Amino acid sequence: MLIRLGYDIRFDITAPVPVVALLKVHPSRRHDLREPDELRIEPYVAIDEYRDLFGNISTRFVAPAGSIRLFNSTLIEDSGLPDPICPDAREVPIAELPPETLRYLMGSRFCEVDLLSPAAVELFGNAPRGWGRVQAICDWVYSKVTFSYAHARPQRTALDVYTERIGVCRDFQHLAVTFCRALNIPARYTAGYLGDIGITLPPAPMDFSAWFEAYLEDRWWTFDARHNQQRIGRVLLATGLDATDAAITTSFGAAKLTQFTVVSDEIV
Amino acid sequence: MLIRLGYDIRFDITAPVPVVALLKVHPSRRHDLREPDELRIEPYVAIDEYRDLFGNISTRFVAPAGSIRLFNSTLIEDSGLPDPICPDAREVPIAELPPETLRYLMGSRFCEVDLLSPAAVELFGNAPRGWGRVQAICDWVYSKVTFSYAHARPQRTALDVYTERIGVCRDFQHLAVTFCRALNIPARYTAGYLGDIGITLPPAPMDFSAWFEAYLEDRWWTFDARHNQQRIGRVLLATGLDATDAAITTSFGAAKLTQFTVVSDEIV
Amino acid sequence: MLIRLGYDIRFDITAPVPVVALLKVHPSRRHDLREPDELRIEPYVAIDEYRDLFGNISTRFVAPAGSIRLFNSTLIEDSGLPDPICPDAREVPIAELPPETLRYLMGSRFCEVDLLSPAAVELFGNAPRGWGRVQAICDWVYSKVTFSYAHARPQRTALDVYTERIGVCRDFQHLAVTFCRALNIPARYTAGYLGDIGITLPPAPMDFSAWFEAYLEDRWWTFDARHNQQRIGRVLLATGLDATDAAITTSFGAAKLTQFTVVSDEIV
Amino acid sequence: MLIRLGYDIRFDITAPVPVVALLKVHPSRRHDLREPDELRIEPYVAIDEYRDLFGNISTRFVAPAGSIRLFNSTLIEDSGLPDPICPDAREVPIAELPPETLRYLMGSRFCEVDLLSPAAVELFGNAPRGWGRVQAICDWVYSKVTFSYAHARPQRTALDVYTERIGVCRDFQHLAVTFCRALNIPARYTAGYLGDIGITLPPAPMDFSAWFEAYLEDRWWTFDARHNQQRIGRVLLATGLDATDAAITTSFGAAKLTQFTVVSDEIV
């Protein structure tokens, strides 16, 4: 399957502001690209591209005063298969986890693992270990938290989600990630394209989406506490400890978003 | 100058517990070692050594039930000079910061950069930019926060330090790190040996210590909001976003500390 | 001056839900009423009226399933004068405060006096004591916090306002109240009618409003950190420790607000 | 049964500081007193005695610089019976609760009812209504929270107790009170004398104690999530929303506690 990816994001800027963007397809998927994946900026600005601490392709530039447009269109090949599931995938003892997964057991800005550890044990301590436990976490978060764009707020942590029971995409994933870590299952936050391929959704503007990955058996697996169903056509942009590391754009100063369009369509 | 380093840490363990230790001298100082730097464990357990996400040398093992002892003695050469100061060191614009420093502008488990950003601007926005601003932050934290071992608690964040005005070593550094980041100065948390060379202190048991580094001009510089004075003989063990990443030992289960001795003495 | 007061509030209820309403003019203003001040409810329900812990006239009833309407229209005489100001009003030493004001020095659900005490002292400790200090607090809150209906949330505390710097009416007052108490000035939260008499505002739907009172010299004085200007025609409904005690309606169960109209007009 | 009550509390004061003390037996027990219940202060200071917002007998005075001693000895008659239990006591519908109990359904400084409401429903929503539900709350808090004097801290709220699972007397009661309120059972915090009559305890210095009261059927009943057992000889000093209202002494300035002795002994 081929998927057309793209975005058109515009800001109004009053004074030059440094921006870091995570808008390029993740290295793990770059061999699937069938067209170049460039971050195009109008007006032209010099950009600096590098791998960040988590391996994402990060782009840094200074947005000048005035209107600025970030846009792109590219094409990627995809299996067309839904997220793999593997109910037999086992939890890996901490002593046997690959070292690079260990940081994903610990707390981060939006994931207070220490504070939610008792609740995690009480809620999921008796769930079957392995895949079933992560799925139990997703089921719980999905059923207990209400989605509401109107209640988005950038400071909301996993503990806030646990107490407020409301939030957007990232909030669902933060709470699920925190529960996983509290149970010694490495979990990381991810952001990317997620279209509506294969499902019927009420028509709505496309957006980037957040999901998460848990490490079981011998690899990272995709989970999504927000949608809690297998989906087709996820394309990873960035991964990290939490939304801090996978924000699509981070502006170090005032930048007023004036347009935001995302495309993620199956080419038929 | 030669410094004798060592520790003797003992735990009582009731059931086998995975442990991650950051007890080996940081790679940036390994060329200064004059004796091997081994983490010795009694009874013998298999260990796994690796570089973690932040470049620290991390040791992982499973502590068996019973008493376990982590100990070592090594020798390191040191300049014998106090922490360098450079009042002319400038702040680097975000657009020119080395990419690997950028993560240290963002929030982390114990450093809520977003929440303390307004206070940081109000308190230090008019301080001279560069070295003077970081020093102003250290002066403020040092004068406003009271040191108290009795008030240590592992969940305390920078915002808690700001409101409670009490804490231990790590708390001072967390608050200073958070203020630096809020002002777009990369800052990272560090832990290591810090003896009493060159200063007169009331006799007290040695401990590992925390300080922090701020990135100015073209390098990371040592700052210490807890002591707020130049010190001789710091030996770095680990660095990271905050105490989450630089804990001397992290136990994934119950482990009762029964002894804790640290040595950091000038050899004369 | 005569002011026409009224409201028309409608809820959709799926299952019977107990409601407590603070919709009757405060006893301190009841002698000014020129028409009866009844809480009218459609359909008819039995109501229970009592003075609450803070002296407000509270109405309790069980809203049956279906649509329910709370409405009223009454007439009140008002001095027509702006909020009194008294720049010479002094702070009263704690030892001389009337006992009934002492509780208003302490913390409450949305006013963490202990946590904001150091910041209060740093920000206002050098302000002139008395009226000028409360005014300095109002000026600070008014200038530092941005009003945004879109960012209302019921859990936001004074500390949250201090870190987020955004909020609605009640948030401004909570922060100001907390600062006053931290400086040993009794302060209480109030809710009531506030029209646009004597000022020019962009046309907007009327709402109830929150302000606060500080105890200086020998009485409670009106302050308003949200508008930070003298206003005409405030009519008090309820007062208490914070918004917990002065919520216009508190529903112990689900109640969907479907209409909300408030009237507070000068009769000419 | 006669119980000898008394205390000897000493502070060192560097500058005059206003103090509010709740050291007199609660009005509900004053008819049981067999000796005068005076708060004696050395050196002599003028005192001001009044009923506070919650009906407690509050004493206010200014402690002069130097050493100050608060002491007393009195005698009270007590039934000698353990705390009454009434497993059949029913929950009262909100619509039928006495108005003066309604405030005890709401949040307060240390009891974030709103934030812990979902957890309360999940943990206790299926418990038998009435006495059994309050007892289930006490059992849960008692079994999940670890007592530790070393971990006392004055800012800890019920949510903190829920996440940290450690605390002192007041912390246990705050969490239980919060759960009760979240389930629409009025609950208030209480402080008083609690000796070791009828039980075998390891010898330890006496202290005042906190417990709580829940409103069921037609009255307030004593519960104690810290000890979770019936006790003999509780003598109430103060009651209120939470520890804010029932602190034995509140100093508005620095006061160093140098001695603290409490007596509560059966006279045989």
Side-chain angles (χ1 to χ4, degrees):
Chain A
M1 176 193 293
L2 288 173
I3 302 176
R4 170 63 56 195
L5 304 176
Y7 50 85
D8 189 340
I9 304 171
R10 300 179 198 200
F11 294 99
D12 275 356
I13 311 277
T14 52
V17 55
V19 176
V20 170
L22 292 168
L23 279 163
K24 305 198 81 165
V25 168
H26 192 262
S28 62
R29 291 298 300 272
R30 288 184 74 75
H31 60 280
D32 295 328
L33 286 166
R34 295 295 167 261
E35 290 181 3
D37 180 28
E38 300 299 331
L39 166 53
R40 300 164 67 188
I41 303 180
E42 283 181 356
Y44 170 81
V45 296
I47 67 166
D48 180 26
E49 188 175 302
Y50 56 92
R51 295 282 181 102
D52 70 17
L53 184 63
F54 302 95
N56 308 306
I57 302 175
S58 188
T59 309
R60 176 175 50 172
F61 57 90
V62 177
S67 292
I68 188 166
R69 179 184 177 214
L70 316 182
F71 61 108
N72 185 37
S73 173
T74 189
L75 197 63
I76 199 164
E77 188 163 330
D78 192 83
S79 70
L81 299 176
D83 302 324
I85 59 171
C86 179
D88 296 332
R90 292 168 302 180
E91 291 182 26
V92 183
I94 291 173
E96 296 167 24
L97 281 169
E100 67 273 15
T101 66
L102 291 172
R103 182 60 182 83
Y104 299 94
L105 295 174
M106 312 298 289
S108 57
R109 172 68 186 97
F110 297 113
C111 299
E112 307 102 326
V113 176
D114 49 344
L115 301 184
L116 282 169
S117 187
V121 170
E122 283 154 15
L123 290 169
F124 311 109
N126 292 323
R129 293 174 60 86
W131 185 279
R133 184 173 280 180
V134 181
Q135 187 54 54
I137 289 170
C138 290
D139 292 345
W140 192 93
V141 172
Y142 177 75
S143 70
K144 296 287 189 181
V145 180
T146 301
F147 186 90
S148 169
Y149 265 123
H151 288 81
R153 63 186 175 99
Q155 305 92 349
R156 185 183 283 127
T157 69
L159 180 59
D160 293 328
V161 184
Y162 180 72
T163 58
E164 300 174 11
R165 303 290 170 97
I166 202 163
V168 294
C169 220
R170 63 182 236 155
D171 299 309
F172 286 74
Q173 318 305 344
H174 281 155
L175 183 52
V177 161
T178 304
F179 281 146
C180 287
R181 293 180 189 171
L183 296 165
N184 294 330
I185 302 171
R188 63 188 188 191
Y189 181 92
T190 58
Y193 292 94
L194 174 59
D196 53 7
I197 300 167
I199 58 164
T200 306
L201 282 179
M206 282 290 302
D207 193 355
F208 293 111
S209 191
W211 57 90
F212 77 100
E213 294 179 337
Y215 193 91
L216 295 170
E217 194 76 40
D218 58 355
R219 51 164 285 199
W220 293 102
W221 301 87
T222 293
F223 288 89
D224 183 343
R226 154 75 176 103
H227 297 101
N228 204 26
Q229 64 176 151
Q230 288 176 274
R231 292 288 288 265
I232 296 168
R234 296 181 197 266
V235 179
L236 188 64
L237 285 171
T239 186
L241 297 176
D242 59 32
T244 307
D245 303 312
I248 298 302
T249 60
T250 301
S251 303
F252 293 88
K256 189 183 168 199
L257 185 68
T258 56
Q259 182 179 326
F260 189 86
T261 312
V262 179
V263 172
S264 176
D265 290 334
E266 182 181 4
I267 302 299
V268 284
Chain B
M1 175 189 295
L2 289 173
I3 302 175
R4 168 64 56 196
L5 303 176
Y7 50 85
D8 189 340
I9 303 171
R10 299 181 198 197
F11 293 99
D12 275 355
I13 309 277
T14 51
V17 55
V19 176
V20 170
L22 292 168
L23 279 163
K24 307 198 81 166
V25 167
H26 192 262
S28 62
R29 289 300 298 274
R30 289 184 73 74
H31 60 281
D32 295 327
L33 286 167
R34 295 296 166 259
E35 290 181 4
D37 179 30
E38 299 299 330
L39 165 53
R40 299 163 68 191
I41 304 181
E42 284 181 355
Y44 169 80
V45 296
I47 66 166
D48 180 27
E49 188 175 300
Y50 56 92
R51 296 282 181 100
D52 69 17
L53 184 63
F54 302 95
N56 308 306
I57 303 175
S58 188
T59 310
R60 175 175 52 170
F61 56 90
V62 178
S67 292
I68 189 166
R69 179 183 177 213
L70 316 182
F71 62 108
N72 185 36
S73 173
T74 189
L75 196 65
I76 200 165
E77 188 162 330
D78 191 83
S79 71
L81 298 176
D83 301 325
I85 59 172
C86 179
D88 296 333
R90 292 169 301 180
E91 289 182 27
V92 184
I94 290 171
E96 297 166 26
L97 281 169
E100 66 273 16
T101 67
L102 291 171
R103 183 58 182 82
Y104 299 93
L105 295 174
M106 311 298 288
S108 57
R109 173 68 186 95
F110 297 113
C111 300
E112 306 100 327
V113 176
D114 49 343
L115 302 184
L116 282 167
S117 188
V121 170
E122 284 153 15
L123 290 169
F124 311 108
N126 292 326
R129 292 175 59 86
W131 185 278
R133 183 172 282 180
V134 181
Q135 187 55 54
I137 289 170
C138 289
D139 292 345
W140 192 94
V141 172
Y142 178 74
S143 70
K144 296 288 190 181
V145 180
T146 301
F147 185 89
S148 168
Y149 266 124
H151 289 80
R153 64 186 175 96
Q155 305 91 349
R156 186 183 283 126
T157 69
L159 180 59
D160 293 329
V161 184
Y162 180 74
T163 58
E164 301 174 11
R165 302 291 170 99
I166 202 162
V168 293
C169 220
R170 64 183 235 155
D171 299 309
F172 286 74
Q173 318 307 344
H174 281 155
L175 183 53
V177 161
T178 304
F179 281 146
C180 288
R181 293 181 188 169
L183 295 165
N184 293 332
I185 302 171
R188 65 187 185 190
Y189 181 93
T190 58
Y193 292 94
L194 175 58
D196 53 8
I197 300 168
I199 59 165
T200 306
L201 282 180
M206 284 287 303
D207 193 356
F208 292 110
S209 192
W211 57 89
F212 76 99
E213 294 179 337
Y215 193 92
L216 295 170
E217 195 76 39
D218 59 354
R219 50 164 286 201
W220 293 101
W221 302 86
T222 292
F223 288 89
D224 183 345
R226 154 75 178 102
H227 298 101
N228 205 26
Q229 65 176 150
Q230 289 176 273
R231 292 289 286 268
I232 297 168
R234 294 183 200 267
V235 179
L236 188 64
L237 285 171
T239 187
L241 297 175
D242 60 32
T244 306
D245 303 313
I248 299 302
T249 59
T250 301
S251 304
F252 293 90
K256 189 184 170 199
L257 186 67
T258 57
Q259 183 179 323
F260 189 85
T261 313
V262 179
V263 172
S264 176
D265 290 334
E266 183 181 4
I267 301 299
V268 285
Chain C
M1 175 189 296
L2 288 173
I3 302 175
R4 169 65 55 198
L5 304 176
Y7 50 84
D8 189 340
I9 305 171
R10 301 181 196 198
F11 294 99
D12 275 355
I13 310 277
T14 52
V17 54
V19 176
V20 170
L22 293 167
L23 279 164
K24 304 196 85 165
V25 168
H26 192 263
S28 61
R29 290 299 300 275
R30 288 184 74 74
H31 59 281
D32 295 328
L33 286 167
R34 296 293 166 262
E35 289 181 4
D37 179 29
E38 300 299 329
L39 165 54
R40 300 162 67 191
I41 304 181
E42 287 180 352
Y44 170 80
V45 295
I47 67 166
D48 180 27
E49 189 176 299
Y50 57 92
R51 295 282 180 100
D52 69 16
L53 184 63
F54 302 95
N56 308 305
I57 303 176
S58 188
T59 310
R60 176 175 51 170
F61 56 91
V62 178
S67 292
I68 189 166
R69 180 182 177 214
L70 316 182
F71 63 107
N72 185 36
S73 174
T74 188
L75 196 65
I76 200 165
E77 187 162 328
D78 191 83
S79 71
L81 299 175
D83 302 323
I85 59 173
C86 180
D88 296 331
R90 292 168 301 181
E91 291 182 26
V92 183
I94 291 173
E96 297 167 25
L97 281 168
E100 67 273 17
T101 67
L102 291 171
R103 182 58 182 84
Y104 298 94
L105 295 174
M106 312 298 288
S108 56
R109 172 67 186 96
F110 297 113
C111 299
E112 307 100 327
V113 176
D114 50 342
L115 301 184
L116 282 168
S117 187
V121 171
E122 284 154 15
L123 290 168
F124 311 109
N126 293 325
R129 292 174 60 86
W131 184 278
R133 184 173 280 179
V134 180
Q135 187 54 55
I137 288 170
C138 290
D139 292 345
W140 192 94
V141 172
Y142 178 74
S143 71
K144 296 289 189 179
V145 179
T146 301
F147 186 90
S148 169
Y149 266 123
H151 289 79
R153 63 187 175 95
Q155 306 91 351
R156 185 182 283 125
T157 69
L159 180 59
D160 293 329
V161 184
Y162 180 72
T163 58
E164 300 174 11
R165 302 291 169 99
I166 202 162
V168 293
C169 219
R170 63 182 236 152
D171 299 309
F172 286 73
Q173 319 305 345
H174 281 155
L175 183 53
V177 161
T178 304
F179 282 146
C180 288
R181 294 181 188 171
L183 296 165
N184 293 331
I185 301 170
R188 63 186 188 192
Y189 181 93
T190 57
Y193 291 93
L194 174 59
D196 53 7
I197 300 167
I199 60 165
T200 307
L201 281 178
M206 284 288 301
D207 193 357
F208 293 110
S209 191
W211 57 89
F212 76 100
E213 294 178 337
Y215 193 92
L216 294 170
E217 197 73 41
D218 59 354
R219 52 164 285 201
W220 293 102
W221 301 86
T222 293
F223 288 89
D224 183 344
R226 155 74 178 104
H227 298 102
N228 204 27
Q229 63 176 152
Q230 288 177 273
R231 292 287 287 268
I232 296 169
R234 295 182 199 267
V235 178
L236 188 63
L237 286 171
T239 186
L241 297 174
D242 60 32
T244 306
D245 302 313
I248 298 303
T249 58
T250 301
S251 304
F252 294 88
K256 190 183 169 199
L257 186 68
T258 56
Q259 182 180 325
F260 189 87
T261 312
V262 179
V263 171
S264 176
D265 290 335
E266 182 181 5
I267 301 298
V268 284
Chain D
M1 177 190 294
L2 289 173
I3 302 176
R4 167 67 54 199
L5 303 176
Y7 50 84
D8 188 341
I9 304 172
R10 300 180 196 198
F11 294 99
D12 275 356
I13 310 278
T14 52
V17 55
V19 176
V20 171
L22 292 167
L23 280 163
K24 306 198 82 166
V25 167
H26 192 264
S28 62
R29 291 298 299 274
R30 289 182 75 74
H31 59 282
D32 296 326
L33 287 166
R34 296 293 167 260
E35 291 180 2
D37 179 29
E38 299 300 329
L39 166 54
R40 300 163 66 191
I41 304 182
E42 284 180 355
Y44 170 81
V45 296
I47 67 166
D48 180 26
E49 189 176 299
Y50 56 94
R51 295 283 180 102
D52 70 16
L53 185 61
F54 301 96
N56 309 305
I57 303 176
S58 188
T59 310
R60 177 175 51 170
F61 57 90
V62 178
S67 291
I68 189 167
R69 178 182 177 215
L70 316 181
F71 62 108
N72 184 36
S73 174
T74 190
L75 196 65
I76 199 165
E77 188 163 327
D78 192 84
S79 71
L81 299 176
D83 302 326
I85 58 172
C86 179
D88 295 333
R90 291 168 302 179
E91 291 182 25
V92 183
I94 291 173
E96 296 167 24
L97 281 168
E100 67 272 17
T101 67
L102 290 172
R103 181 60 182 80
Y104 299 94
L105 294 174
M106 311 299 287
S108 57
R109 172 68 186 97
F110 297 113
C111 299
E112 307 101 327
V113 175
D114 50 342
L115 302 184
L116 281 168
S117 187
V121 170
E122 284 154 16
L123 289 169
F124 310 108
N126 291 324
R129 292 175 60 87
W131 184 277
R133 184 172 280 179
V134 180
Q135 187 55 55
I137 288 170
C138 290
D139 292 344
W140 192 94
V141 172
Y142 178 74
S143 70
K144 296 289 189 181
V145 180
T146 300
F147 185 90
S148 169
Y149 266 123
H151 288 81
R153 62 187 177 96
Q155 305 91 351
R156 185 182 284 125
T157 68
L159 181 59
D160 293 328
V161 184
Y162 180 72
T163 59
E164 301 175 10
R165 301 291 169 99
I166 203 162
V168 293
C169 220
R170 66 182 233 154
D171 300 309
F172 286 74
Q173 317 307 344
H174 281 155
L175 183 52
V177 161
T178 305
F179 281 145
C180 287
R181 293 181 189 170
L183 295 165
N184 293 332
I185 301 170
R188 63 187 187 189
Y189 180 93
T190 59
Y193 291 94
L194 174 59
D196 52 7
I197 301 167
I199 59 165
T200 307
L201 281 179
M206 282 289 302
D207 193 357
F208 292 111
S209 191
W211 58 90
F212 77 100
E213 293 178 338
Y215 194 91
L216 295 171
E217 195 74 40
D218 59 355
R219 51 165 284 199
W220 293 101
W221 301 86
T222 293
F223 288 89
D224 183 343
R226 155 75 178 102
H227 297 102
N228 204 27
Q229 62 176 151
Q230 288 176 275
R231 293 287 287 268
I232 295 168
R234 297 182 197 266
V235 179
L236 188 64
L237 286 171
T239 187
L241 296 175
D242 59 32
T244 306
D245 302 313
I248 299 302
T249 59
T250 300
S251 305
F252 293 89
K256 189 184 169 198
L257 185 68
T258 56
Q259 182 180 324
F260 189 86
T261 312
V262 180
V263 172
S264 177
D265 290 334
E266 184 181 3
I267 301 298
V268 283

